Amino acid sequence: MKAWHFTTTNEPLVEADIPEPTPGPGEVVLDIKAAGLCHSDVGAMTDPGWLALIPRRPIVIGHEIAGVVAQVGEGVTEVAVGDRVGVCPTASEGAPGYARDGGFTYQHRVLAGDLVPMPAGLTFELAALGTDAGMTSYHAVMVQGGLRKGDKVGIIGFGGLGQVGARVAVVNGAEVHVAEINEAVWDRARETGAVSVVKDVAEWAGQDFDLIVDYAGFGTTTADAVAAIRRDGRIVIVGMGRLEATISTRDVILKQATLVGSNGGTKEDVAAVYELLARGDISPEVTVIGFDDIPRGLDDLRNHRVTGRVVAHIAD
C-alpha cells in the first residue's frame, strides 16, 4: 500500500510502498479514513531537535488518525470489525508517527486499548483532528486549566488549537476573550463566542483574568499573561513558539500565580471532545485535502497559508 515516509529533517516526504499490516494479540488493523496534518509534523520535518523523538527512520508520519476496524487480533473484545474509531496518540503504545508508523497511509496497526469510539454522526475528518488538536486543546482548558463556570478566560492564539480551546471554554460557561495578532480571524473568534478580541496580550494588563491559556507560547505572550491574571490566577502554557520566556517573578509571587504546562491529553479527553464535535458545540475550521496532497498540505502549514486545521481524506 502507498505511504508517505519521513526520512530526515529538511528532506521531502518520500512516497513508498509498504506491506499491509497484520494484527497481533490485542491489536487491530484500521482502514484509515482520515489523517490530520499538524504543526508537529512540520516541526519534525524542519527542526533537527525532533529527530530524538523519531528513532526509527524511514517512518510513516501522521499522528491524527480515524478509521474503521478492518481486522482484529487474538483476544480483542473491546471493538469489532466495522467499528468507527479514532486513535488516541498518547495512550499505552508509542505515539504513531514518532515511535511507530502513523497515519499517512491506508491501514494502521494499533492496540485495541488505544482506540476511542466515534459517536454517531461524527465525520472521520473531525474525528481525526479530535485525536490531537481537540484532545490537546480540551486538556489545556479543562484539565490543566481547571476551568470553572463563570471564569474569565483568555485564549492566546486563535489557530488550530486556540479555536477549539476557545469554544470549549465558551461551551463550559466561561467569559472568553481572545488575543490574536491575525486580524483576519477576528470575526471567526467572535462567532465562536469570544466577548472581545485584541491584537496584543499586553492590552489585558490589570484585567483580573481567572485563567489564561497560551496556545502561542512566544515568550512575551506568557510574560504578559502574568500581568493580566488576578491574585491566585492560572496560566497554562501549550504553545512552543519560543522555548524561553522572561517573566516578572514579582507578579508571580504577589499574585500567587499558578503556571503550568500542558502536553497532549488522554483517551477521556478525546472522548469528551468527540461528544462536543458530534453535537456541533465545536465546529473548527477544517481544510480537507487528498492523500496525494499531503506534502503540499504540510508546506502550506509551514508557510502559514492555512487557517485552522488540515485533514487528509484517505479513503471512502
Side-chain angles (χ1 to χ4, degrees), residues 115-226:
L115 301 176
V116 181
M118 289 171 52
L122 181 63
T123 68
F124 287 110
E125 288 75 21
L126 289 178
L129 73 84
T131 61
D132 182 31
M135 172 190 70
T136 299
S137 304
Y138 182 93
H139 188 78
V141 171
M142 299 303 298
V143 180
Q144 296 298 89
L147 181 141
R148 296 181 288 267
K149 185 177 181 179
D151 275 354
K152 182 176 182 179
V153 175
I155 299 293
I156 302 175
F158 197 74
L161 296 183
Q163 62 170 311
V164 176
R167 188 61 189 161
V168 167
V170 168
V171 169
N172 282 279
E175 175 192 311
V176 176
H177 303 258
V178 169
E180 170 55 57
I181 194 170
N182 180 12
E183 295 184 31
V185 301
W186 282 17
D187 286 344
R188 174 71 175 172
R190 295 187 184 99
E191 292 169 3
T192 297
V195 174
S196 71
V197 188
V198 299
K199 196 176 186 72
D200 192 332
V201 184
E203 299 178 54
W204 287 348
Q207 293 190 21
D208 290 338
F209 282 82
D210 298 294
L211 168 66
I212 294 178
V213 183
D214 187 355
Y215 289 108
F218 276 93
T220 56
T221 54
T222 306
D224 288 337
V226 176

Side-chain angles (χ1 to χ4, degrees), residues 195-274:
V195 174
S196 71
V197 188
V198 299
K199 196 176 186 72
D200 192 332
V201 184
E203 299 178 54
W204 287 348
Q207 293 190 21
D208 290 338
F209 282 82
D210 298 294
L211 168 66
I212 294 178
V213 183
D214 187 355
Y215 289 108
F218 276 93
T220 56
T221 54
T222 306
D224 288 337
V226 176
I229 58 170
R230 62 166 173 81
R231 181 181 172 89
D232 296 318
R234 309 178 302 284
I235 298 170
V236 180
I237 307 168
V238 184
M240 300 175 72
R242 297 288 184 274
L243 299 184
E244 294 181 345
T246 301
I247 295 174
S248 168
T249 53
R250 173 185 178 276
D251 278 349
V252 171
I253 294 166
L254 293 182
K255 292 184 176 184
Q256 296 188 152
T258 299
L259 278 76
V260 299
S262 188
N263 178 17
T266 66
K267 283 178 59 177
E268 290 74 22
D269 296 327
V270 177
V273 168
Y274 275 6

Side-chain angles (χ1 to χ4, degrees), residues 32-56:
I32 300 175
K33 301 299 183 180
L37 283 63
C38 182
H39 281 283
S40 298
D41 301 319
V42 174
M45 293 186 64
T46 58
D47 183 349
W50 286 82
L51 293 180
L53 301 176
I54 312 174
R56 180 177 65 82

